Amino acid sequence: MKKLLSLLGVLIIIGCLQANAAKSGVYMDFYKYGHEGKNTTVHRSPMRIPIDVYYDDELRQIEISGSVDIDVQIFLCDENGNIIAYSSITNTTLDIPEDYNGRLSISIECDNWVATGCITI
């Protein structure tokens, strides 16, 4: 019985000491160009953008990945709207300066849609 309780105690300690995942998903609001003024009565589920955005807290990086290679412009801006990083490639990693703390906004623009999101560091 002592061995069983000891084993159970060791498993609980190991479970408590495991580190949390450093990457977290970033929620992106999606807007399609040309549909702002249309009023339709049919309510459909929101369209999913073909790009995933993750923030890595340990590396201070934002990872943007997509399964489809599309022409995009990706902007990473600070609270005042100043551009910190830019990319025109879908699968990319944007570095956040070490001395920056605060709120960052990310904007992904394509030909017919735009996605925006915010990250607080």
Side-chain angles (χ1 to χ4, degrees):
M1 187 69 169
K2 288 183 180 181
K3 289 181 182 180
L4 180 63
L5 290 175
S6 298
L7 180 63
L8 185 61
V10 169
L11 291 176
I12 290 174
I13 290 172
I14 289 173
C16 292
L17 294 178
Q18 288 185 351
N20 293 336
K23 283 188 181 181
S24 59
V26 177
Y27 176 75
M28 302 293 286
D29 290 320
F30 176 79
Y31 305 100
K32 196 164 185 176
Y33 292 136
H35 292 277
E36 295 88 9
K38 292 185 180 180
N39 187 6
T40 61
T41 57
V42 178
H43 297 287
R44 298 187 176 122
S45 63
M47 199 170 158
R48 186 185 183 290
I49 60 173
I51 295 176
D52 295 319
V53 181
Y54 297 100
Y55 170 62
D56 192 341
D57 190 34
E58 290 179 0
L59 298 176
R60 293 182 62 92
Q61 292 179 337
I62 297 174
E63 180 183 331
I64 298 126
S65 62
S67 59
V68 181
D69 191 25
I70 53 177
D71 293 329
V72 295
Q73 292 184 357
I74 302 168
F75 299 98
L76 181 64
C77 300
D78 64 3
E79 294 173 346
N80 299 325
N82 301 322
I83 297 174
I84 294 175
Y86 168 80
S87 179
S88 61
I89 302 169
T90 305
N91 296 317
T92 188
T93 302
L94 302 176
D95 294 321
I96 299 169
E98 289 293 326
D99 59 343
Y100 185 83
N101 289 322
R103 188 176 176 120
L104 292 172
S105 63
I106 184 166
S107 175
I108 304 173
E109 299 177 5
C110 189
D111 291 336
N112 57 357
W113 56 265
V114 63
T116 59
C118 290
I119 302 166
T120 303
I121 299 174

